[in-house]
Amino acid sequence: MNLRILALSKVLFAIVFVISLGFAGYLVGDNISQRVIGKSLAKQVMSTSTIGKSSRLQTLLNEIVAEQRIPGAVMYIITPKSSWLGASGVDDLSTKTRMKPTDGFSIASMSKTFMAVVVLKLVEQGKIGLDQAIATYLPTDISPHIINSDKITVRQLLNHTSGVAEYLETKEFIQATAKRSRSQPWTAREAIQYMYQEEPQANPGEKFIYTDCNYILLELIVENITKGTLAQAIRSQILKPLGLKHTFTELREPTIGEVATGYGDRHKHGKLDSFAEVNDGNGLGDGGLVSTAEDLAKFAKALFVKKTLLSSKMMKEMLKFRDNGEGYSYGLGVERFSSPLETAIGHSGTAYGFVTLLAYLPNQNTTIIVLLNNQDVDIKSVARTGLEVVENK
């Protein structure tokens, strides 16, 4: 899962270029590099704009798609003075349908930030205590199966310091997903059972271990407290108030708009395979949302810029980061990744054939969103490395 540093640095150079010069203009990404996969497709960059800065950004995005075996990409950059939205490539390799800036992507673990907002709103309402044991809030038939449920706190689930075992990596879950139809969405109750027999990875609060089971447990807590589904809680607490009309929970709610197909080297044979029929936990609390660049930008603006989604007290809690070394730390459903330029906050995601990144740069008041439909790209670590390359130039 490595992306060539040179290619990513081009995009990040463009980002820095926009931030530093104040780019005026908005390009709806009606452009596409026709050389998407393999040598058989000729490279042809088509541009609807002759404006130098927008044309350069679009060309760079086209080059990334063409050079890095990425079917398609969407990038959105919002600065205090202007914004740029571009798309390149295709959203489906079989139909060669052109990628559009309005296409939906599974945002995978970026969904954890939405989950954290819902949980913190329940804390605001006095229905959950951040530092209370999760046994207080879990369904009574599930809590006894979770080792240390009387010691693990809600905060420790949110910041991945609970030490619980992982369900995704168990042999039994992997075997089950191979036979699971998308017509049978996984439930949190089903998924959590795959970690019942697993030993904890650490004692509660001992260390940071990024574990998706933390957010499956949070899903169970939210649903037990609200007496509804997590999808309903996200919709009522976030999507409706912000007017996010193109975001939905996969396999739980009706599909909205056009959604790109995700790809990756599933069979380890050096070729991109479609994830269109795969159901390996889609729609669960650890990464269940599908969204668009514009909806994600609205979410980031409300949460990080205007700070209207949460109270000031809960924002302070969310942004209490635990340093985990190598310039990376985690708050409550929020990542902080450093670079020589400045520290950015947000979240990344990799699953279901997609890799996504939302990063807000507080000092620049700038938001960057990158959505790709090839999951074999470690966009988070490469983005940090790319920023260092740009800074050293």
Side-chain angles (χ1 to χ4, degrees):
M1 294 176 65
N2 292 318
L3 179 65
R4 295 184 185 90
I5 292 175
L6 176 60
L8 219 298
S9 67
K10 291 179 180 178
V11 167
L12 292 164
F13 176 79
I15 291 169
V16 176
F17 185 66
V18 169
I19 293 170
S20 61
L21 296 182
F23 159 93
Y26 178 95
L27 175 64
V28 175
D30 192 30
N31 310 315
I32 173 175
S33 168
Q34 293 184 350
R35 196 192 91 186
V36 180
I37 301 293
K39 297 181 180 179
S40 62
L41 298 176
K43 182 177 180 180
Q44 179 180 348
V45 176
M46 298 183 292
S47 176
T48 58
S49 174
T50 58
I51 300 173
K53 296 171 186 176
S54 62
S55 177
R56 184 174 186 180
L57 284 166
Q58 185 65 52
T59 299
L60 289 170
L61 189 59
N62 292 341
E63 288 177 353
I64 293 298
V65 166
E67 295 170 5
Q68 301 303 319
R69 301 188 72 233
I70 302 170
V74 172
M75 184 166 68
Y76 197 9
I77 307 169
I78 306 100
T79 76
K81 294 182 179 180
S82 56
S83 63
W84 182 84
L85 175 61
S88 184
V90 298
D91 63 16
D92 188 298
L93 288 173
S94 61
T95 63
K96 301 296 188 296
T97 303
R98 171 172 73 185
M99 184 72 76
K100 297 176 292 299
T102 55
D103 282 349
F105 285 70
S106 171
I107 63 172
S109 285
M110 196 189 294
S111 306
K112 289 181 171 69
T113 308
F114 287 76
M115 168 70 87
V117 169
V118 169
V119 172
L120 291 174
K121 280 184 169 292
L122 291 173
V123 174
E124 285 179 358
Q125 297 163 16
K127 297 178 180 179
I128 291 178
L130 264 180
D131 297 303
Q132 288 293 314
I134 62 175
T136 308
Y137 309 112
L138 282 170
T140 55
D141 62 324
I142 289 177
S143 182
H145 296 285
I146 309 301
I147 299 174
N148 294 324
S149 65
D150 59 335
K151 299 181 181 67
I152 296 167
T153 67
V154 173
R155 183 190 301 276
Q156 289 167 346
L157 294 182
L158 285 166
N159 67 14
H160 297 287
T161 61
S162 70
V164 297
E166 181 63 283
Y167 80 102
L168 281 173
E169 298 172 358
T170 63
K171 179 178 66 175
E172 292 77 13
F173 181 78
I174 293 171
Q175 291 174 341
T177 61
K179 305 174 183 178
R180 190 87 172 195
S181 167
R182 289 175 65 87
S183 65
Q184 297 177 287
W186 284 94
T187 67
R189 282 181 169 271
E190 288 178 297
I192 205 66
Q193 293 178 26
Y194 287 90
M195 57 85 75
Y196 282 175
Q197 305 304 318
E198 303 296 315
E199 289 297 316
Q201 301 179 81
N203 293 322
E206 185 177 30
K207 58 183 176 178
F208 171 88
I209 305 174
Y210 189 94
T211 306
D212 285 286
C213 255
N214 287 312
Y215 280 70
I216 302 298
L217 289 167
L218 286 169
E219 178 177 5
L220 288 163
I221 288 172
V222 168
E223 294 186 341
N224 194 38
I225 295 295
T226 64
K227 306 306 178 185
T229 66
L230 175 61
Q232 290 170 337
I234 291 174
R235 185 155 297 280
S236 64
Q237 297 288 341
I238 302 173
L239 306 187
K240 284 186 177 180
L242 297 185
L244 306 187
K245 298 180 179 180
H246 300 94
T247 302
F248 62 94
T249 300
E250 189 176 9
L251 304 186
R252 302 293 197 283
E253 297 181 305
T255 299
I256 301 173
E258 295 185 40
V259 178
T261 299
Y263 296 89
D265 187 4
R266 288 174 52 210
H267 303 296
K268 309 302 179 185
H269 53 23
K271 298 179 182 179
L272 291 182
D273 304 298
S274 170
F275 277 69
E277 301 303 321
V278 177
N279 178 14
D280 58 357
N282 306 51
L284 288 173
D286 54 348
L289 294 179
V290 174
S291 192
T292 64
E294 288 184 298
D295 268 13
L296 291 171
K298 290 178 183 177
F299 175 69
K301 184 175 183 179
L303 183 60
F304 298 128
V305 183
K306 290 189 173 181
K307 300 182 180 179
T308 55
L309 260 182
L310 294 171
S311 66
S312 58
K313 181 179 179 180
M314 287 301 103
M315 275 304 297
K316 288 179 181 178
E317 296 291 350
M318 172 176 266
L319 299 180
K320 286 182 178 178
F321 291 96
R322 175 165 177 157
D323 187 5
N324 301 299
E326 299 181 0
Y328 174 74
S329 53
Y330 204 92
L332 304 187
V334 180
E335 293 177 305
R336 183 173 67 188
F337 19 92
S338 300
S339 75
L341 295 179
E342 73 166 281
T343 299
I345 57 176
H347 217 291
S348 58
T350 303
Y352 320 128
F354 300 92
V355 59
T356 63
L357 174 69
L358 183 159
Y360 174 65
L361 290 71
N363 295 340
Q364 303 284 359
N365 191 20
T366 293
T367 301
I368 304 161
I369 296 164
V370 181
L371 308 172
L372 310 174
N373 61 344
N374 177 356
Q375 77 165 28
D376 297 331
V377 176
D378 190 348
I379 197 169
K380 181 170 61 178
S381 63
V382 175
R384 294 198 304 270
T385 305
L387 284 169
E388 291 172 3
V389 172
V390 172
E391 161 63 19
N392 291 331
K393 286 191 174 183

